[in-house]
Amino acid sequence: MAGTHSRSIAWLVDPALQGGTSAAVAAELQALDGWPAQRRVHEMRTRMGGGRPPAPVLADALDRLGLPLRPAPGTVAADVVILHNPALLKFEAALPFRIVARDLFVVLHENPTRPGGAEGFDLDHALMLLERFSFTGRRWLAPISARNRASLGAVPPGWRVTAEDWFNICDFPLLPACAHPADRRGRHSRPGPEKFPSLATLDLLFPPTASANVLLGADPLMKAAEERQHWQLHPFRGLPLERYFQMIDFQVHFTAPTWAESFGRALAEGIAAGKVVISDPETAAGFAGGVIGVRPDEVDAVIAAHVADPARYVAQVARGQQALRAFSAGAFRDRFARLCDPRPGLERAA
């Protein structure tokens, strides 16, 4: 099998990071359980993480797999070293260790540039740090989606871009669609302000005419709720996801216009839970028809059409769940084997 030439793999993680990054690392570790290589996970505390306790999803995965979270030694050495989300280095002036690897993979999660061309984070600074504190045969930038790849811009000398995306694994249990959906709407995300559109847009998306409006991770909206009694607001992790999904039939996910989801893990979770998921056309494009892409002012009509025609609702859920197969753990293992194959003649595109 390609990739089995890697005798050791080391992950560098800040366990305090919440949301999609920790969930992606946890799923990756699970997918590669039993991989024919020594696996180590090293703790890399950053100012961005703030020293918070490890994210539960990551802590649970490490415990389940019997992988200790090791302190990073003076030198982190492995055939393959993987660092997820270089944005976590934006406040660092130096690294407290050196990296020695045949291949260093830096997996992008945030988009380096935002809609309109504004800088998302200082990717050049992160890569400069990694260059200064590493000795590697090859350094790779690994986008997680086509949208993420398009936001890269010019790649610094000495770095290459993987020919295939290092996608988020979405190996969730697939639940059946509701046979009789109602206009019950919801959204969930981490509580960063960039994750939410304006109040005027939220009023369009979650109106008093809906049977339910459940917003999970809505910490920034608590004051606004005083004037919107039709909203059910819950803080980040204020509800188990299973309970949240039982309360809705439509997941409606739009963000601030200055922010673009590089992938949209929350959307994939909604699809797997048997819900019709609605977002902006650019975000929806990453799910091959599995997410309905419209403007905020078109959401009411989309929901009304699917409530009036339950068979249409069920067919849309089936379309979404079929699209998730491209993000399975098995598909990731196959791609990981190709990306990490060191043999001559199998060079990836720069």
Side-chain angles (χ1 to χ4, degrees):
M1 177 190 292
T4 57
H5 303 271
S6 299
R7 296 185 303 275
S8 57
I9 306 169
W11 282 263
L12 288 166
V13 300
D14 185 337
L17 291 186
Q18 307 300 310
T21 299
S22 288
V25 174
E28 187 171 301
L29 293 171
Q30 180 67 57
L32 296 177
D33 189 32
W35 194 261
Q38 181 189 57
R39 299 187 303 151
R40 300 189 304 275
V41 183
H42 292 293
E43 184 176 45
M44 180 179 65
R45 289 287 183 173
T46 65
R47 290 176 177 84
M48 183 173 169
R52 295 185 297 269
V57 66
L58 180 59
D60 290 348
L62 292 170
D63 183 62
R64 187 169 58 253
L65 296 169
L67 288 171
L69 183 60
R70 305 166 183 260
T75 299
V76 175
D79 291 312
V80 172
V81 172
I82 302 166
L83 183 146
H84 279 262
N85 200 351
L88 62 85
L89 298 176
K90 60 185 176 183
F91 301 125
E92 307 304 311
L95 298 182
F97 50 78
R98 293 195 174 274
I99 299 168
V100 177
R102 185 196 71 221
D103 284 282
L104 169 62
F105 288 94
V106 176
V107 184
L108 296 171
H109 283 258
E110 296 184 19
N111 293 327
T113 56
R114 295 187 178 187
E119 183 179 80
F121 69 97
D122 192 347
L123 177 60
D124 287 344
H125 170 73
L127 299 186
M128 177 272 294
L129 270 183
L130 291 166
E131 287 177 24
R132 281 177 51 203
F133 290 89
S134 68
F135 180 78
T136 63
R138 295 176 294 195
R139 301 187 183 100
W140 298 97
L141 285 173
I144 65 168
S145 68
R147 191 175 197 180
N148 189 223
R149 183 181 295 272
S151 76
L152 257 178
V155 178
W159 290 85
R160 315 168 193 218
V161 180
T162 57
E164 297 181 279
D165 297 335
W166 193 294
F167 59 82
N168 276 202
I169 298 166
C170 299
D171 234 9
F172 313 124
L174 301 181
L175 302 181
C178 176
H180 301 287
D183 186 352
R184 302 189 305 158
R185 311 183 188 194
R187 79 177 308 282
H188 78 95
S189 71
R190 62 176 172 80
E194 72 281 358
K195 289 287 189 175
F196 294 86
S198 68
L199 281 174
T201 300
L202 285 167
D203 284 334
L204 273 178
L205 302 176
F206 301 102
T209 53
S211 300
N213 294 292
V214 185
L215 287 74
L216 176 59
D219 307 59
L221 302 177
M222 293 303 178
K223 287 186 179 180
E226 296 172 4
E227 301 175 2
R228 295 165 176 84
Q229 297 300 312
H230 55 286
W231 285 1
Q232 300 177 50
L233 301 190
H234 300 272
F236 188 53
R237 297 202 186 112
L239 281 176
L241 278 183
E242 179 182 7
R243 174 62 184 139
Y244 157 74
F245 283 124
Q246 290 171 350
M247 300 165 71
I248 70 168
D249 292 311
F250 295 88
Q251 178 146 301
V252 184
H253 190 96
F254 289 77
T255 63
T258 55
W259 177 265
E261 296 286 9
S262 55
F263 176 71
R265 187 178 182 86
L267 283 70
E269 290 171 340
I271 293 169
K275 311 304 172 184
V276 165
V277 179
I278 306 168
S279 189
D280 63 272
E282 291 79 12
T283 301
F287 291 91
V291 172
I292 299 173
V294 294
R295 300 189 310 268
D297 63 331
E298 297 173 315
V299 168
D300 281 352
V302 169
I303 291 177
H306 286 80
V307 169
D309 186 354
R312 183 175 182 179
Y313 182 96
V314 171
Q316 177 59 31
V317 171
R319 189 177 300 116
Q321 294 185 347
Q322 178 63 33
L324 286 189
R325 296 181 186 278
F327 309 118
S328 71
F332 178 81
R333 286 191 293 270
D334 291 343
R335 186 160 298 183
F336 184 83
R338 293 193 296 272
L339 291 173
C340 294
D341 196 313
R343 289 177 294 174
L346 294 177
E347 194 77 358
R348 281 83 75 197

